[in-house]
Amino acid sequence: MSRFQDKVVIVTGAAQGIGEAYAKGLAAEGASVVVADLNAEAGDQVAKQIRSDGGKAVFVPVDVSSPESAKALADATVAEFGGIDALVNNAAIYGAMKFDLLISVDWDYYRKFLDVNLNGALVMTRAVYREMRKRGGGSIVNQSSTAAYLYSGFYGLAKVGVNGLTQQLAHELGGMNIRVNAVAPGPTDTEATRVQAGDAAKDLVKNMALKRFGQPEDMLGAVKFLLSDDASWVTGQIIAVDGGQTFRL
Ligand code: NAI
């Protein structure tokens, strides 16, 4: 299995949860993976684990809301692996998110939240697209959520933005043969969801077509498809991987 041999992939928010599963799953198919996260200790562990399993990975710290930090990540990736082919914009404030309403959330918190959860994907894209163009193209997968289709306050609002960003960037980057798509996971069994959803999680599952939580690995097939040449004419799409939680006509 070496679908991503010689491909350099940056996965943000890869220190834990779904991003960790993406980093490990891509490395297992031959990708050179940059594990990028705010959390240096956990991120470094993920990269070490990949290497001890025989894969290629390095940890590079990043704050996706900072253009300077994103540029340093892109530079470090090129220095380590020689270029950039793919980016998975998975990082978000989720596990540590405050509960509040749009009508009452503190403005500074709201702005910081959107800076990370929405603008972070654009900041990262701006930092890497030139390197992708040098390689003749690339693929970007943004992490959305079915929260974009359900009431979920500023969290869902940011994911609606991620969906729109995916569609708009697909046009701005398509001429460079850079594809931009998104995956919208349903409720997934990560530590962050256990903190956020608590007991309400069981009710969520009852209303889904497939009566179980997603596991981080459930998203991997869709992400690998979108990053691979199998999806060479797929761009601007948002694919729900959600156990049938939502449907859209
Ligand atoms: P998580 O909270 O466990 O992981 C998020 C990661 O992003 C953490 O490692 C954190 O350190 C990192 N991060 C946060 N802010 C950052 C920043 N400014 N710069 C760099 N890294 C930063 O969340 P989980 O459950 O793994 O979710 C990952 C992604 O999937 C998020 O985008 C989340 O919104 C999305 N998602 C999660 C679902 C779930 O049920 N777990 C369902 C649908 C979408």
Side-chain angles (χ1 to χ4, degrees):
M1 293 280 277
S2 56
R3 190 160 31 153
F4 298 106
Q5 203 68 46
D6 303 325
K7 297 287 181 195
V8 179
V9 186
I10 298 173
V11 184
T12 69
Q16 62 185 47
I18 300 175
E20 176 181 353
Y22 288 168
K24 289 180 172 169
L26 290 163
E29 290 204 38
S32 301
V33 175
V34 175
V35 174
D37 204 289
L38 267 184
N39 183 341
E41 202 177 318
D44 204 37
Q45 274 308 113
V46 171
K48 276 195 184 121
Q49 178 73 55
I50 290 173
R51 289 196 299 270
S52 72
D53 291 343
K56 290 186 278 287
V58 291
F59 169 74
V60 179
V62 73
D63 174 354
V64 297
S65 67
S66 156
E68 296 73 30
S69 178
K71 182 174 184 316
L73 167 61
D75 290 349
T77 303
V78 173
E80 181 70 29
F81 292 128
I84 304 172
D85 298 292
L87 165 68
V88 183
N89 280 313
N90 164 79
I93 300 170
Y94 172 55
M97 183 176 70
K98 271 193 206 169
F99 277 108
D100 210 329
L101 306 178
L102 280 163
I103 53 175
S104 55
V105 62
D106 174 73
W107 277 121
D108 286 345
Y109 184 78
Y110 174 80
R111 289 194 184 101
K112 176 67 195 169
F113 191 90
L114 290 187
D115 258 353
V116 175
N117 287 32
L118 168 56
N119 297 334
L122 178 57
V123 166
M124 281 301 308
T125 300
R126 286 165 71 142
V128 303
Y129 80 89
R130 290 180 187 83
E131 289 299 329
M132 289 182 176
R133 182 170 52 187
K134 281 187 203 162
R135 310 267 266 202
S139 178
I140 297 173
V141 174
N142 295 324
Q143 184 83 332
S144 181
S145 170
T146 53
Y149 314 127
L150 303 163
Y151 171 64
S152 51
F154 51 86
Y155 178 75
L157 180 61
K159 296 300 190 186
V160 170
V162 167
N163 291 352
L165 186 68
T166 300
Q167 293 164 331
Q168 301 299 334
L169 282 176
H171 284 264
E172 293 196 8
L173 297 175
M176 301 172 208
N177 195 32
I178 298 171
R179 297 179 297 99
V180 189
N181 293 287
V183 169
T188 304
D189 184 23
T190 63
E191 180 59 33
T193 297
R194 288 189 280 275
V195 171
Q196 286 302 332
D199 289 343
K202 292 196 188 84
D203 292 334
L204 271 176
V205 168
K206 267 192 245 156
N207 294 323
M208 289 161 55
L210 301 175
K211 311 289 179 200
R212 69 168 177 87
F213 266 101
Q215 295 299 319
E217 292 70 23
D218 284 318
M219 262 55 74
L220 249 179
V223 169
K224 288 193 287 198
F225 165 69
L226 291 171
L227 292 180
S228 77
D229 291 343
D230 289 345
S232 59
W233 208 43
V234 181
T235 197
Q237 303 305 306
I238 295 114
I239 298 185
V241 183
D242 68 350
Q245 184 194 22
T246 57
F247 50 55
R248 287 168 296 150
L249 301 176

